[in-house]
Amino acid sequence: MGRGRVELKRIENKINRQVTFSKRRNGLLKKAYELSVLCDAEVGLIVFSTRGKLYEFASAGMNKTLERYQRCSFTPHENSIERETQSWYQEVTKLKAKYESLQRTQRYLLGEDLGPLSVKELQNLEKQLEVALAQARQRKTQLMIEQMEDLRKKERHLGDLNKELRVKLEAEGHNLKVIQNMWSSNAAAGRSNFSLHSSQTNPMDCTSEPVLQIGYQQYLPAVGPSIPKTVAGETNFIQGWFL
């Protein structure tokens, strides 16, 4: 049968109370010691008996444990700042170590500071470089294929534009030839009409019309034996008034 549940209350019998205190005190001290060893915990235990006798256990020293307890209990704000500062310091330390490791790896990839590396580490570095080189070549080939495809598309587009421009140019040339033929036919027709009219009419054959001149006209007699004719009868000019 299992043990029944024991009701927790003060033991009235003095002797039984003392025996129970001794047993449980030793068990409590043992548990505190095991907890500090197994879990790497800082444990501090203080027990006073009914007679005022002190029993204590401290894994890191009672004074140190009490000081730490006071800091945690009576200055929580300062303790939180200290914990935060310590946390940031640890984070900075980790980042610094990671940064230095990345710098070493970069130097190794560039072929620098290879002296401390062993044969196995050099083989791993060689494999990493081969993998990186294969990926770089694959990416370069892909980019070149894409660029060639873009150039082919541009070439096809320019070829289509060239065909359209050629068709438009041929159409414009045909229209220009038609216009030139029309101009040449009109010019030939105009030249033929002009030659026809010039052969039929002579501008020199036109009879002179009488001219009326108003003003003073000096009469000059003709030189020679012939009798001069009147100016009015020949030229229809009116002689000027002589003073």
Side-chain angles (χ1 to χ4, degrees):
M1 293 179 62
R3 295 177 58 185
R5 184 175 181 182
V6 179
E7 184 180 359
L8 295 177
K9 65 178 182 178
R10 183 176 180 272
I11 299 174
E12 297 296 336
N13 191 340
K14 185 178 180 180
I15 298 174
N16 293 336
R17 186 167 64 240
Q18 185 66 31
V19 172
T20 303
F21 173 76
S22 298
K23 290 181 179 180
R24 301 220 172 194
R25 178 199 64 200
N26 295 332
L28 182 60
L29 293 172
K30 183 180 179 181
K31 290 295 182 182
Y33 171 75
E34 292 175 354
L35 181 63
S36 64
V37 174
L38 295 176
C39 301
D40 196 16
E42 185 176 352
V43 180
L45 176 63
I46 299 175
V47 179
F48 289 97
S49 66
T50 54
R51 296 180 180 180
K53 189 175 181 180
L54 174 62
Y55 301 92
E56 64 179 7
F57 170 79
S59 60
M62 187 57 67
N63 293 329
K64 183 178 178 180
T65 303
L66 290 175
E67 289 176 0
R68 185 174 180 181
Y69 172 75
Q70 289 177 356
R71 288 196 304 269
C72 294
S73 298
F74 299 103
T75 57
H77 180 67
E78 294 179 359
N79 187 39
S80 62
I81 294 176
E82 183 180 358
R83 287 199 302 269
E84 186 176 0
T85 304
Q86 186 177 4
S87 176
W88 280 111
Y89 178 75
Q90 293 177 356
E91 187 70 20
V92 169
T93 304
K94 291 179 181 179
L95 291 176
K96 185 177 179 181
K98 188 175 182 180
Y99 175 72
E100 292 177 354
S101 176
L102 291 175
Q103 278 190 332
R104 287 195 301 270
T105 304
Q106 184 179 7
R107 288 196 299 269
Y108 294 157
L109 293 175
L110 294 175
E112 300 176 356
D113 299 337
L114 300 178
L117 298 180
S118 62
V119 177
K120 187 175 181 180
E121 291 175 345
L122 290 173
Q123 290 177 354
N124 294 330
L125 180 62
E126 185 179 3
K127 291 180 181 179
Q128 292 177 2
L129 291 173
E130 290 177 354
V131 172
L133 182 60
Q135 292 178 355
R137 288 176 177 174
Q138 183 179 3
R139 179 58 180 169
K140 183 184 71 174
T141 305
Q142 183 179 0
L143 290 176
M144 292 177 65
I145 292 173
E146 292 176 357
Q147 291 177 359
M148 290 176 62
E149 186 65 26
D150 293 337
L151 291 175
R152 289 194 184 97
K153 290 181 180 179
K154 291 180 180 180
E155 184 181 3
R156 289 193 293 269
H157 180 65
L158 292 175
D160 296 337
L161 290 177
N162 191 12
K163 290 179 181 178
E164 293 178 0
L165 291 175
R166 186 178 298 172
V167 171
K168 290 181 180 180
L169 184 61
E170 291 177 355
E172 293 293 335
H174 179 70
N175 294 332
L176 183 60
K177 287 181 180 180
V178 172
I179 293 173
Q180 288 178 352
N181 293 329
M182 291 176 63
W183 284 353
S184 60
S185 61
N186 291 332
R191 285 195 300 271
S192 62
N193 292 330
F194 177 75
S195 61
L196 179 61
H197 288 294
S198 61
S199 61
Q200 291 179 358
T201 61
N202 189 359
M204 299 301 294
D205 295 338
C206 296
T207 60
S208 61
E209 295 294 334
V211 178
L212 177 62
Q213 182 175 357
I214 300 174
Y216 175 76
Q217 178 69 27
Q218 185 177 3
Y219 172 74
L220 296 176
V223 178
S226 61
I227 301 172
K229 296 181 180 180
T230 62
V231 178
E234 283 296 322
T235 62
N236 293 329
F237 290 158
I238 299 175
Q239 295 182 0
W241 296 94
F242 292 92
L243 296 178

